Amino acid sequence: MTVKPAPTENLLTPSEVATLFRVDPKTVTRWAKSGKLSSIRTLGGHRRYLESEVRELLTGVPQQRSE
Amino acid sequence: MTVKPAPTENLLTPSEVATLFRVDPKTVTRWAKSGKLSSIRTLGGHRRYLESEVRELLTGVPQQRSE
DNA sequence: AGCGAATGGGGTAATTAGGGTC
DNA sequence: TCTGTCCTAATTACCCCATTCG
């Protein structure tokens, strides 16, 4: 099949974001609930986070998105 | 009234959908089984998914079809 | 016909959501 | 105000192997 040039944003799991920030996954959830961090939801309700946004918050430097 | 000439909808494989949601392909299968996601079946029983539906579920915004 | 990769089944661990509390 | 922890239920991830896809 043809592999399209995925206009896809890389997503991170809650635990991955938590590891990057050295906090508890629950804290990451609180950030999402309070609107400090945007999130995508799986069909089961689990959250996924935009890697570019997380990187930017970590470094303070705007990251390049793949879209 | 606009008459839509049924176009050939782009189909995605389980692994492609899984990549978009950052989940395991098996999880996508469970979504299909539970009716959260509609699916087409190949003659061998493998599932294929509507790209427009997947993208809409991802972003929450209805996507424009190529028709 | 053969081959590598992906998928569908099942089962069982590991994460996550949500609320509440400290 | 912010964070870590405890608890239960739900969701997801990883393991096997047979079958299908390209």
Side-chain angles (χ1 to χ4, degrees):
Chain A
M1 66 170 53
T2 57
V3 178
K4 337 180 67 174
T8 306
E9 172 65 51
N10 280 339
L11 300 178
L12 298 177
T13 64
S15 63
E16 289 172 339
V17 178
T19 299
L20 291 174
F21 277 98
R22 295 282 257 145
V23 294
D24 192 271
K26 196 83 171 188
T27 299
V28 179
T29 299
R30 291 193 180 107
W31 293 344
K33 291 178 66 176
S34 64
K36 296 178 179 177
L37 192 60
S38 58
S39 62
I40 299 295
R41 292 280 198 148
T42 69
L43 299 191
H46 286 199
R47 296 182 181 86
R48 298 285 113 103
Y49 303 93
L50 302 177
E51 181 177 20
S52 61
E53 183 181 10
V54 171
R55 296 284 178 194
E56 181 171 341
L57 289 172
L58 275 173
T59 63
V61 179
Q63 304 295 314
Q64 181 176 12
R65 296 189 187 177
S66 55
E67 61 175 305
Chain B
M1 58 179 293
T2 53
V3 177
K4 301 189 175 182
T8 49
E9 172 67 56
N10 270 351
L11 296 180
L12 299 178
T13 64
S15 63
E16 288 172 338
V17 178
T19 299
L20 291 175
F21 277 97
R22 186 56 164 88
V23 294
D24 193 270
K26 290 282 187 152
T27 300
V28 180
T29 298
R30 270 192 304 268
W31 292 346
K33 281 188 183 177
S34 64
K36 294 177 180 176
L37 189 61
S38 58
S39 61
I40 303 295
R41 289 279 199 153
T42 68
L43 299 188
H46 287 194
R47 297 182 180 85
R48 297 287 114 98
Y49 304 93
L50 301 176
E51 180 177 18
S52 61
E53 182 182 11
V54 170
R55 298 223 174 259
E56 182 170 339
L57 288 172
L58 257 179
T59 61
V61 178
Q63 302 297 316
Q64 175 106 21
R65 291 193 194 173
S66 54
E67 46 180 305

